[in-house]
Amino acid sequence: MIVRALQSSLRLHGKRGFHKSTSLLYFYEPEKSNYPIIYDNLQKSQKLSLLGKFWEACRNVKYEFSLLHQEIRDYFADNTAIIVPDAEDIIWKFDGTEKCRDQWIVTCDSDYNEGYSKAKLDFTAYGTGLFHGSLSPRVPKDGVIGKAGYCNVTSTRKRKSFYRKSFYDWSCYNTLVLRIRGDGRCYMLNVLQRGHYDMGWYHSFHYFIYTTGSPYWQHVKIPFSKFVFGTKGVIQNDQRPMPLDWITGFGITLGDKKEGPFKLEIDYIALCYDPTVFEECAYELYDVRKL
């Protein structure tokens, strides 16, 4: 594992092009949302000397061993969860720190020359997250792209030490909780469930929320049973309950086709157990192969 970490770090900080570096597979998911981060890391590392790349790789190995040490402690610790009904367990708290900023990836259609939208994730003076920018449904005149106009913020993939993928286990909860303050536009919440193979990379569950546009905070509680199953943003006929022990991330998307600026302020994203929710899936479950 040490050799793998050193080798991967040295390759990542090399001068080769993004499409030629096989070591990037150790660091990132094979999806577009990570491309801006890959390019930024490559540009920053091109100024490093060979000795600088070596010390950067050593620091990377030290960090991975610290993660491994924490994994071992968590494995032997008593992790018995005590779930209090209606008590909120905060998963992502926006506090204005650099660590919080590194947990999120912001993308839009203009990042891939597929449109003209702009998006950023900043922090207010109080530390809350501010997802803002400008949405443009205008389509580039290239004769290839037919639709445009989306902005998205997604959490980074959870992982263990030495670049091993991990998952969130939300099986003890049944409700998603958000404290937000919007601009009156409709946003789509995405609970991601990326599989190991390419056929499952884009599996996710969606729910639409409407912000009030007032200066007051909204305390939104959404049962997981209300989320609909989709692939690449397309709602599927074959609906299913959300597998809460196999969650890879969470995201918020704006794509309401309304041109103009947008602003969504986020305080935290949490989970809770609502004892009044009994259903697993609020939609009709049937096998489309038997129709």
Side-chain angles (χ1 to χ4, degrees), residues 14-86:
K15 296 183 178 180
R16 296 184 296 172
F18 149 72
H19 60 284
K20 296 180 180 179
S21 180
T22 57
S23 64
L24 296 175
L25 297 177
Y26 296 144
F27 289 81
Y28 302 102
E29 290 289 320
E31 54 185 288
K32 287 185 176 181
S33 61
N34 290 315
Y35 288 1
I37 293 182
I38 296 175
Y39 284 120
D40 291 342
N41 288 338
L42 290 175
Q43 291 176 358
K44 293 178 182 178
S45 62
Q46 285 179 354
K47 300 180 181 180
L48 295 176
S49 62
L50 181 61
L51 183 60
K53 297 174 187 177
F54 176 78
W55 287 116
E56 183 70 18
C58 292
R59 284 191 291 269
N60 186 28
V61 172
K62 180 180 179 181
Y63 173 72
E64 297 302 325
F65 268 108
S66 66
L67 293 181
L68 180 62
H69 179 258
Q70 185 63 39
E71 285 182 39
I72 297 175
R73 293 184 58 183
D74 294 341
Y75 180 80
F76 289 101
D78 185 9
N79 294 325
T80 303
I82 301 177
I83 306 300
V84 179
D86 293 326

Side-chain angles (χ1 to χ4, degrees), residues 104-118:
W104 299 93
I105 300 173
V106 179
T107 57
C108 56
D109 50 21
S110 61
D111 292 334
Y112 319 110
N113 299 322
E114 296 178 353
Y116 303 94
S117 303
K118 300 293 183 181

Side-chain angles (χ1 to χ4, degrees), residues 224-227 239-242 279-285:
F224 288 122
S225 59
K226 302 295 184 182
F227 282 76
Q239 290 297 308
R240 64 189 67 175
M242 185 187 301
E279 61 184 3
E280 294 184 357
C281 185
Y283 310 100
E284 184 178 2
L285 303 179

Side-chain angles (χ1 to χ4, degrees), residues 254-272:
L254 175 65
D256 57 2
K257 300 181 180 180
K258 297 180 180 180
E259 186 170 5
F262 69 91
K263 181 173 64 175
L264 179 66
E265 189 174 355
I266 310 170
D267 186 10
Y268 62 80
I269 301 168
L271 305 172
C272 78

